[in-house]
Amino acid sequence: MGVDEVGAGGSHAPALRVTAKETVAEGVVALELAHPDGARLPDWTPGAHIDLILPGGLTRQYSLCGDRWDAYRYRVGVLREPDGRGGSAYVHDRLRVGDSVGVGGPRNNFPLVPSDNYLFIAGGIGITPLMPMLHQADLLGAEWSLVYGGRHRGSMAFLGELARYGDRVHVVPEDERGRPDLDTWLGEPRDDVRVYCCGPPGLLDAVDTACATWPAPALRTERFTARQQESQVRDAPFEVVLARRGTTVTVTPGVSVLDAVRTAHVDVLSSCMRGTCGTCATGVLDGVVDHRDSLLTDDERAAGDCMFPCVSRSRGDRLVLDL
């Protein structure tokens, strides 16, 4: 395997070089990544993330938070998670400038849709996917505001960069001002405003509740942890037909659709295994999906033409997948 590839989980990903590593807040480092030969990197759009493929098969998703117009560098912010599975600890403690790291993507499950007016709400490291959105909204001349909450100022990344936007940015450190007053910002539904929110589960749940009376397309959220799910609709075996292969596999309780599909030697790319990253998105040709992901909107779920087999299952006896 050459210097330009890193293996992980049976797949290959291009290796980028760490060109800068900087502490940007308490417990947060920013990495800059570039191609070792100085080549142009794939384009991306605000809200996109990349996979960092780390030693031992660890794959972690991090939102791109740099300049999307810089074709030669990616930037991500990484929060140290003491209770995590080791990915953030590796980045903080062992990854050095000059090291190579496998990178997958970019992919965007959190796209910025056109609007004349935006409200951005961030909690902690949730600021990262919103940074390029602010820049894009500014370039387009849209009206926008950012509400940015955190434990205290020292824990809140990129405050220096955000200062250039002046009073459109509302910094709410909890130790100074308490938690953001969502009733003030979201109490009155508006047809002309798009709301984008990223942060810890408590904030996302509170924003979901506050936007319950808003028009359905108004709110878009991105979760770094899986949404708490209701109990599964079905706890019995079902069949999955792989339409391109002409093969049928049986999915038993306790086995994911993804794992069952792999027994038929069909390699579906995957990463988080929690329904949060979007890597394993698979087309559905027939059947009714029991959606267990934290990505699809209600309209997308109702359409029934896509699922994430790492977590989602079938409501009936049979699913036909575009595999």
Side-chain angles (χ1 to χ4, degrees):
M1 188 176 298
V3 70
D4 291 333
E5 290 186 337
V6 171
S11 61
H12 295 126
L16 301 186
R17 187 154 291 155
V18 179
T19 56
K21 180 179 180 180
E22 176 189 8
T23 299
V24 292
E26 181 181 300
V28 182
V29 295
L31 300 179
E32 286 190 357
L33 306 165
H35 194 282
D37 297 329
R40 183 186 180 99
L41 301 176
D43 292 337
W44 56 281
T45 54
H49 70 265
I50 58 174
D51 302 321
L52 293 190
I53 302 170
L54 305 171
L58 290 173
T59 303
R60 297 293 180 267
Q61 296 76 44
Y62 297 106
S63 298
L64 289 164
C65 58
D67 180 1
R68 64 168 295 211
W69 303 109
D70 184 343
Y72 299 94
R73 288 184 300 174
Y74 289 155
R75 182 177 72 164
V76 296
V78 180
L79 171 69
R80 179 189 287 277
E81 299 182 77
D83 298 325
R85 293 178 290 168
S88 66
Y90 182 89
V91 171
H92 275 254
D93 298 337
R94 300 180 62 184
L95 197 61
R96 300 284 184 263
V97 172
D99 288 350
S100 293
V101 60
V103 173
R107 290 184 300 276
N108 199 339
N109 304 311
F110 192 42
L112 185 69
V113 299
S115 179
D116 293 328
N117 203 320
Y118 298 97
L119 173 60
F120 301 104
I121 303 174
I125 198 63
I127 189 62
T128 51
L130 303 186
M131 294 286 289
M133 294 187 182
L134 306 182
H135 183 54
Q136 183 78 358
D138 216 42
L139 285 176
L140 296 175
E143 295 293 324
W144 63 268
S145 297
L146 167 68
V147 182
Y148 180 17
R151 296 190 310 277
H152 55 85
R153 289 181 185 271
S155 70
M156 300 172 71
F158 307 122
L159 289 181
E161 294 180 35
L162 292 169
R164 63 178 172 152
Y165 294 120
D167 60 7
R168 282 179 291 183
V169 174
H170 303 267
V171 178
V172 189
E174 188 172 352
D175 64 337
E176 298 177 23
R177 301 177 55 187
R179 296 181 179 179
D181 184 355
L182 297 180
D183 288 339
T184 296
W185 292 99
L186 299 170
E188 188 68 32
R190 294 174 55 186
D191 293 335
D192 63 334
V193 176
R194 292 280 186 163
V195 181
Y196 280 78
C197 180
C198 186
L203 173 65
L204 294 171
D205 291 343
V207 170
D208 277 339
T209 299
C211 286
T213 59
W214 284 60
L219 174 63
R220 292 299 299 263
T221 61
E222 181 167 62
R223 292 177 178 264
F224 294 139
T225 57
R227 186 194 303 267
Q228 186 173 355
Q229 300 286 350
E230 299 174 359
S231 60
Q232 290 181 180
V233 171
R234 181 187 180 89
D235 188 22
F238 57 91
E239 292 187 340
V240 170
V241 179
L242 312 179
R244 297 188 206 174
R245 289 290 188 95
T247 301
T248 299
V249 297
T250 299
V251 183
T252 56
V255 175
S256 71
V257 173
L258 182 64
D259 286 340
V261 165
R262 285 174 171 167
T263 65
H265 306 291
V266 176
D267 187 15
V268 179
L269 291 177
S270 63
S271 179
C272 72
M273 304 302 293
R274 296 176 296 175
T276 60
C277 75
T279 304
C280 66
T282 300
V284 178
L285 303 178
D286 192 28
V288 181
V289 179
D290 176 13
H291 291 287
R292 318 298 301 173
D293 64 90
S294 301
L295 289 163
L296 296 177
T297 66
D298 289 342
D299 287 344
E300 290 167 338
R301 292 182 177 206
D305 57 2
C306 178
M307 72 177 292
F308 298 96
C310 65
V311 291
S312 296
R313 302 183 71 80
S314 177
R315 288 176 176 261
D317 294 332
R318 183 173 177 267
L319 280 178
V320 181
L321 302 183
D322 188 16
L323 293 172

